[in-house]
Amino acid sequence: NAGVTQTPKFRILKIGQSMTLQCTQDMNHNYMYWYRQDPGMGLKLIYYSVGAGITDKGEVPNGYNVSRSTTEDFPLRLELAAPSQTSVYFCASSYSTGTSSYEQYFGPGTRLTVT
Amino acid sequence: DAKTTQPNSMESNEEEPVHLPCNHSTISGTDYIHWYRQLPSQGPEYVIHGLTSNVNNRMASLAIAEDRKSSTLILHRATLRDAAVYYCILRGSGGSNYKLTFGKGTLLTVNP
């Protein structure tokens, strides 16, 4: 299993540009997440999804959009990039049932710089 | 969400045991204690979790105080590869408690 894969690894955007960060998992996990991590800080949840077609906001959703058309893929869209979105972005997935939640598996991250 | 308190940083020598503390005085009876770690330039990875009893796995041991207000992650023989930020996170039980709330964690430095 490749686990959670993310593309691209690095990206530099100009202010106002748009881009999509890709995330794919091959573990058949039903839950997927997007986090951002600013320097010296812990991860903050941007958006999450509990299954295909279902997404919800996390702690810091402003400036981002997501979709989940398949179990495997959970892309994150930045519409109008701003310097405040300079960060490292991590995608994660996990399996949850009605009674139990299991550990999250994280991708390697995408380092985004907006100038 | 119940909060955890960890030291900002700790230092250890290679091949010695490391005890990473975590305080969680407002833990509820159904909260599990989870530990994740983040190696340099990588995403976090799961280490271990427990509820009341001490837990062991191939990576580490988790010692939980009897009143559950604190816990300690134990690395029995630190290696250079264990240098990472370690996060102590509380998470409720049940299928609806799937979110993780990350603090700043403890930066562990391992000296050769």
Side-chain angles (χ1 to χ4, degrees):
Chain A
N1 286 352
V4 179
T5 57
Q6 293 183 237
T7 57
K9 284 190 170 58
F10 303 93
R11 184 72 187 268
I12 298 174
L13 279 183
K14 294 191 187 307
I15 294 171
Q17 286 185 322
S18 302
M19 77 163 294
T20 299
L21 282 67
Q22 301 291 347
C23 174
T24 300
Q25 56 94 6
D26 63 358
M27 297 172 281
N28 202 31
H29 285 167
N30 49 353
Y31 286 27
M32 296 187 73
Y33 315 81
W34 274 106
Y35 295 88
R36 61 176 284 173
Q37 184 175 34
D38 298 330
M41 306 296 286
L43 283 70
K44 292 188 177 180
L45 184 64
I46 305 172
Y47 269 95
Y48 65 96
S49 168
V50 301
I54 306 169
T55 63
D56 207 348
K57 296 176 180 178
E59 187 183 352
V60 289
N62 291 345
Y64 307 95
N65 279 302
V66 293
S67 59
R68 182 111 180 260
S69 56
T70 67
T71 299
E72 296 77 20
D73 300 306
F74 190 39
L76 178 72
R77 178 85 178 157
L78 282 72
E79 289 295 347
L80 291 170
S84 60
Q85 294 177 305
T86 294
S87 191
V88 181
Y89 292 83
F90 292 101
C91 179
S93 72
S94 69
Y95 179 67
S96 286
T97 67
T99 54
S100 298
S101 290
Y102 299 90
E103 65 265 31
Q104 292 188 16
Y105 291 79
F106 287 79
T110 294
R111 187 174 298 274
L112 176 67
T113 302
V114 182
T115 61
Chain B
D1 290 333
K3 290 188 68 172
T4 63
T5 304
Q6 300 178 253
N8 288 334
S9 62
M10 290 185 65
E11 209 166 315
S12 170
N13 295 319
E14 205 175 5
E15 299 190 4
E16 290 184 356
V18 182
H19 291 233
L20 295 161
C22 181
N23 287 321
H24 28 77
S25 58
T26 59
I27 190 170
S28 75
T30 56
D31 282 342
Y32 281 79
I33 303 157
H34 289 250
W35 284 82
Y36 281 73
R37 72 178 185 181
Q38 186 174 19
L39 302 173
S41 300
Q42 294 190 27
E45 64 176 347
Y46 167 81
V47 178
I48 200 167
H49 78 279
L51 183 63
T52 55
S53 304
N54 294 345
V55 184
N56 301 298
N57 66 19
R58 63 174 180 80
M59 289 181 72
S61 295
L62 177 59
I64 301 171
E66 202 167 324
D67 64 4
R68 300 210 327 124
K69 293 184 186 298
S70 65
S71 61
T72 302
L73 180 70
I74 302 167
L75 307 179
H76 295 285
R77 287 186 67 195
T79 69
L80 296 178
R81 198 195 172 277
D82 291 321
V85 177
Y86 287 78
Y87 299 99
C88 171
I89 301 168
L90 301 183
R91 197 174 87 178
S93 62
S96 62
N97 289 295
Y98 41 83
K99 294 182 199 173
L100 297 174
T101 301
F102 287 83
K104 292 187 180 180
T106 296
L107 174 63
L108 176 65
T109 302
V110 180
N111 300 314

